[in-house]
Amino acid sequence: MAATRVITAATAVTQTTSCFLAKRAFALPAKRPCGGFGALCFSRRALVLKSKRPFSCSAIYNPQVKVQEEGPPESLDYRVFFLDGSGKKVSPWHDIPLTIGDGVFNFIVEIPKESKAKMEVATDEDFTPIKQDTKKGKLRYYPYNINWNYGLLPQTWEDPSHANAEVEGCFGDNDPVDVVEIGETQRKIGDVLKIKPLAALAMIDEGELDWKIVAISLDDPKAHLVNDVEDVEKHFPGTLTAIRDWFRDYKIPDGKPANRFGLGDKPANKEYALKIIQETNESWAKLVKRTVDAGELSLY
């Protein structure tokens, strides 16, 4: 029997969302929720694709979503699905809103801190559940525990056809943007946290750009102390260096070369992190509107 638990995705967002570009809240038309970022909002009914169902950047504005686990943990069949209030499957990547206003973003936990099973959203499967990554048919594990909660920003996408001139002309890695959440609490797979971004690291993995947004959950005891990269250095000394070194070196035990980092090997500030989030949200909007090739990616 599949195990189901209820988690809070976003509170008090049934009436308004945020306009990132305008930096202010705006009212939503009746029955037209929009999870887009800034000016990228549009109605689900306005976009009908040549597929079994329509899709748009409309998002779930329900205070709670359910997480349903199917299959035994640490098996090839294990999946963590997300359900809306009616029990229907939804996509954590496409259907949970990126932002809920006032500089607050939703973050979906794939890998809890102090664990090493390499969990990820299955971007090529219907409803994009969380599963354990595989290589040559075997489950993948990091060589050692990751020391922070790790996951993704919904409604973002690193476009593999876009070369970033500021990071050695590297192309995106074809995935949602990653988040490293530095709070003290170990979270669960599928938790949806409200976070504020603090910094960004431009990791280059085998030539592909793989952004790491450093953030903190709003319910962490130190959240009120940190608002930018300098605050992280002050209140979490050594953390940014530890994050960079962890992601630089984790492939070395498998005989692969170390990853590299752009932007002078240093973390960018919050303003730059917000720019990356905006740009990758715009790329995601093009993806779901199919103005760029989706390839094998699931759009629902």
Side-chain angles (χ1 to χ4, degrees):
M1 181 178 295
T4 302
R5 57 188 166 92
V6 178
I7 58 176
T8 299
T11 58
V13 292
T14 54
Q15 299 300 319
T16 64
T17 186
S18 72
C19 182
F20 180 80
L21 300 180
K23 296 184 180 179
R24 60 182 175 84
F26 64 90
L28 291 172
K31 298 183 180 180
R32 289 185 59 193
C34 182
F37 199 13
L40 302 179
C41 306
F42 50 90
S43 167
R44 180 180 296 271
R45 293 187 297 272
L47 182 66
V48 179
L49 305 177
K50 294 180 180 179
S51 64
K52 294 181 179 179
R53 53 181 281 194
F55 194 86
S56 79
C57 69
S58 296
I60 303 300
Y61 276 85
N62 188 313
Q64 292 183 330
V65 293
K66 295 179 181 179
V67 172
Q68 179 174 287
E69 297 174 287
E70 298 184 5
E74 298 190 58
S75 75
L76 295 174
D77 296 325
Y78 182 68
R79 297 291 185 275
V80 178
F81 285 97
F82 288 68
L83 312 178
D84 66 12
S86 68
K88 294 180 180 178
K89 288 180 179 178
V90 295
S91 166
W93 181 19
H94 300 307
D95 289 326
I96 290 178
L98 169 60
T99 176
I100 62 175
D102 299 323
V104 179
F105 296 83
N106 280 321
F107 158 57
I108 300 164
V109 178
E110 295 170 306
I111 306 174
K113 67 185 295 184
E114 306 307 333
S115 66
K116 62 180 182 179
K118 193 176 186 303
M119 310 300 296
E120 63 180 18
V121 162
T123 57
D124 59 349
E125 296 184 12
D126 289 354
F127 304 108
T128 63
I130 296 174
K131 69 172 185 178
Q132 188 166 351
D133 191 21
T134 60
K135 183 177 181 180
K136 297 181 180 179
K138 295 183 178 181
L139 298 172
R140 291 188 65 188
Y141 293 86
Y142 290 122
Y144 33 73
N145 285 353
I146 188 168
N147 307 125
W148 311 274
N149 296 302
Y150 187 60
L152 72 139
L153 286 174
Q155 300 187 340
T156 61
W157 179 55
E158 298 194 50
D159 186 349
S161 69
H162 173 70
N164 191 306
E166 296 178 357
V167 188
E168 304 179 17
C170 292
F171 294 87
D173 70 349
N174 202 31
D175 283 324
V177 171
D178 298 326
V179 172
V180 183
E181 194 275 319
I182 62 174
E184 68 177 21
T185 303
Q186 183 188 49
R187 309 295 180 159
K188 296 179 180 180
I189 297 172
D191 279 355
V192 183
L193 308 181
K194 295 186 286 292
I195 61 164
K196 55 179 174 180
L198 304 169
L201 288 162
M203 191 177 91
I204 302 170
D205 182 354
E206 298 183 13
E208 294 181 335
L209 181 55
D210 186 3
W211 287 106
K212 309 299 179 188
I213 301 297
V214 179
I216 192 166
S217 178
L218 295 189
D219 64 358
D220 189 83
K222 289 187 177 181
H224 69 287
L225 298 174
V226 288
N227 293 291
D228 213 324
V229 64
E230 297 86 358
D231 301 324
V232 180
E233 296 286 8
K234 179 178 179 181
H235 297 285
F236 293 83
T239 295
L240 291 171
T241 298
I243 292 171
R244 183 199 61 197
D245 292 353
W246 195 98
F247 282 100
R248 182 193 63 201
D249 298 340
Y250 79 90
K251 290 187 175 182
I252 294 177
D254 292 331
K256 294 185 177 181
N259 291 320
R260 299 186 299 110
F261 287 85
L263 304 179
D265 209 36
K266 297 179 180 179
N269 63 14
K270 178 174 184 173
E271 181 180 7
Y272 198 94
L274 292 175
K275 179 175 82 78
I276 296 307
I277 295 171
Q278 178 183 333
E279 291 174 353
T280 54
N281 173 252
E282 291 171 353
S283 295
W284 170 84
K286 293 176 182 177
L287 176 69
V288 297
K289 288 187 289 185
R290 295 197 178 186
T291 58
V292 295
D293 183 17
E296 297 182 357
L297 297 175
S298 172
L299 297 185
Y300 62 93

